[in-house]
Amino acid sequence: MEQQLPIKIVLDSWYTTISRANELFNSLTEEQLQNEVSPGRNTGTYLLGHLTAVHDRMLPLLGLGAQRFPQLDDVFLTSPDKSGKSKPSITELRAYWKEVNEALAASFRNMQPAEWLQKHTSVSEVDFVKEPHRNRLNVLISRTNHLSSHYGQLLFLKK
Amino acid sequence: MEQQLPIKIVLDSWYTTISRANELFNSLTEEQLQNEVSPGRNTGTYLLGHLTAVHDRMLPLLGLGAQRFPQLDDVFLTSPDKSGKSKPSITELRAYWKEVNEALAASFRNMQPAEWLQKHTSVSEVDFVKEPHRNRLNVLISRTNHLSSHYGQLLFLKK
């Protein structure tokens, strides 16, 4: 059995999903991003910040470095959209989104396939022995699905 | 490097995503499913039929058997929601959804990890030699993301 191929396929799926999201975000105007994806639901701006914060936190979770923009957590992870908390501008959020995904890609390029099966940093050594599936690959797959889910919602911002 | 673990993780992600979707569909009333997920977009009923048709087609695509409900293709794949074509009842669609996913699960349980790296049926033997990533695992990952994307939309049907 080819050992590296499953890892490559999962990574390709991540990059494809990121590319689609980039294409969508790039096609949306500031005005469109300020709209709710469905009446009473999150705005595009909030989802852009939310996805940026979630991806940013993948850096420490995968043991690849520190979060770049920890200040996003309070606004986009622990608070809902209409919290009244001050948000960065859409221009800033677009730049953060790009930077975070590029930092992840730079780290991923240096990783060997076997490194994807190493534990992520939220599981203890003891638990990891019993639950070897709690590894970096699992995080990547989970975050790909998370992005897909919000991507489906963000599509509604298009005319 | 553990060879079976990546396959197990991808399969777990499929089952988790299916479970979440089942929980959501089970929690939605007929009336809620008849609503559009966002103004002017697909109804829950259409998305239930669409997902059922896509998953049904995974059976032949993965070389696991014939489609159970080929009559869904015309209504839910090649036609848009408001085509005017007659749709099965929501009760029927719920039953088809359940049957198709159970048929897939029954086949998946009998598959060895290495079988996931075999080609799917839409790629030729010749092309597969050059592009070994066009395998069953790739289809599974792609369909998991497809389901996640529509799941994110279907959440809007909840109050």
Side-chain angles (χ1 to χ4, degrees):
Chain A
M1 182 173 169
E2 169 63 66
Q3 296 179 26
Q4 304 187 0
L5 195 53
I7 310 290
K8 177 189 155 38
I9 293 172
V10 170
L11 266 170
D12 283 352
S13 160
W14 166 262
Y15 288 124
T16 300
T17 311
I18 292 279
S19 292
R20 269 189 209 137
N22 285 342
E23 202 174 312
L24 178 58
F25 280 132
N26 292 338
S27 76
L28 293 168
T29 64
E30 288 222 3
E31 197 188 340
Q32 286 175 315
L33 279 170
Q34 283 160 6
N35 290 332
E36 293 171 339
V37 294
S38 192
R41 306 293 176 164
N42 291 319
T43 60
T45 314
Y46 182 82
L47 287 177
L48 174 57
H50 172 73
L51 288 167
T52 302
V54 168
H55 289 201
D56 196 17
R57 288 169 70 97
M58 289 172 71
L59 289 164
L61 183 56
L62 296 174
L64 302 174
Q67 251 182 293
R68 306 279 177 117
F69 308 104
Q71 71 273 21
L72 300 181
D73 291 10
D74 180 43
V75 189
F76 297 107
L77 289 180
T78 52
S79 305
D81 194 352
K82 285 89 177 180
S83 64
K85 290 189 176 163
S86 164
K87 293 184 176 68
S89 71
I90 291 177
T91 302
E92 285 169 316
L93 286 175
R94 288 184 191 274
Y96 299 167
W97 167 251
K98 189 164 177 278
E99 180 174 333
V100 162
N101 291 319
E102 284 176 356
L104 288 169
S107 290
F108 294 173
R109 274 194 290 275
N110 292 324
M111 283 170 67
Q112 297 302 310
E115 292 181 83
W116 283 102
L117 301 189
Q118 293 170 356
K119 76 179 199 66
H120 59 66
T121 60
S122 288
V123 63
S124 71
E125 296 282 0
V126 173
D127 287 346
F128 187 60
V129 171
K130 290 173 288 188
E131 302 171 303
H133 61 277
R134 297 176 68 180
N135 56 29
R136 290 160 151 177
L137 190 70
N138 207 329
V139 170
L140 188 67
I141 292 173
S142 164
R143 294 305 178 276
T144 306
N145 279 305
H146 176 257
L147 175 56
S148 291
S149 172
H150 287 307
Y151 174 81
Q153 300 172 336
L154 286 159
L155 282 173
F156 296 152
L157 295 175
K158 298 207 77 165
K159 284 286 171 294
Chain B
M1 180 172 170
E2 168 63 66
Q3 296 179 25
Q4 305 186 359
L5 195 53
I7 310 292
K8 174 188 157 38
I9 293 171
V10 170
L11 265 170
D12 283 351
S13 160
W14 166 262
Y15 287 123
T16 300
T17 311
I18 292 279
S19 292
R20 269 188 209 137
N22 284 343
E23 203 174 312
L24 178 58
F25 280 131
N26 291 339
S27 76
L28 294 168
T29 63
E30 288 222 3
E31 195 188 341
Q32 286 176 315
L33 279 170
Q34 283 161 4
N35 290 331
E36 293 171 339
V37 293
S38 192
R41 307 292 176 164
N42 291 319
T43 59
T45 314
Y46 182 82
L47 287 177
L48 174 58
H50 172 72
L51 288 167
T52 302
V54 168
H55 289 200
D56 195 17
R57 288 170 69 97
M58 288 173 70
L59 289 164
L61 183 56
L62 297 173
L64 302 175
Q67 253 182 291
R68 306 281 177 115
F69 308 104
Q71 72 274 21
L72 299 181
D73 291 10
D74 180 42
V75 189
F76 296 107
L77 289 180
T78 52
S79 305
D81 193 353
K82 285 88 178 180
S83 63
K85 290 188 177 165
S86 163
K87 294 184 176 68
S89 71
I90 291 178
T91 303
E92 285 169 316
L93 287 175
R94 288 185 192 275
Y96 299 167
W97 168 250
K98 189 164 179 280
E99 179 175 333
V100 161
N101 290 319
E102 284 177 356
L104 288 169
S107 290
F108 293 173
R109 274 194 290 275
N110 291 324
M111 281 170 68
Q112 296 302 310
E115 291 182 82
W116 283 101
L117 301 189
Q118 293 169 356
K119 79 178 197 66
H120 59 65
T121 59
S122 289
V123 61
S124 72
E125 295 281 2
V126 173
D127 288 345
F128 186 61
V129 172
K130 291 174 286 187
E131 302 172 303
H133 60 278
R134 299 175 68 181
N135 55 30
R136 290 161 152 176
L137 190 70
N138 207 330
V139 170
L140 188 67
I141 292 172
S142 165
R143 292 305 178 274
T144 306
N145 278 305
H146 175 258
L147 175 55
S148 292
S149 173
H150 287 305
Y151 173 81
Q153 300 173 336
L154 287 159
L155 282 174
F156 296 152
L157 295 176
K158 297 208 75 166
K159 283 287 171 291

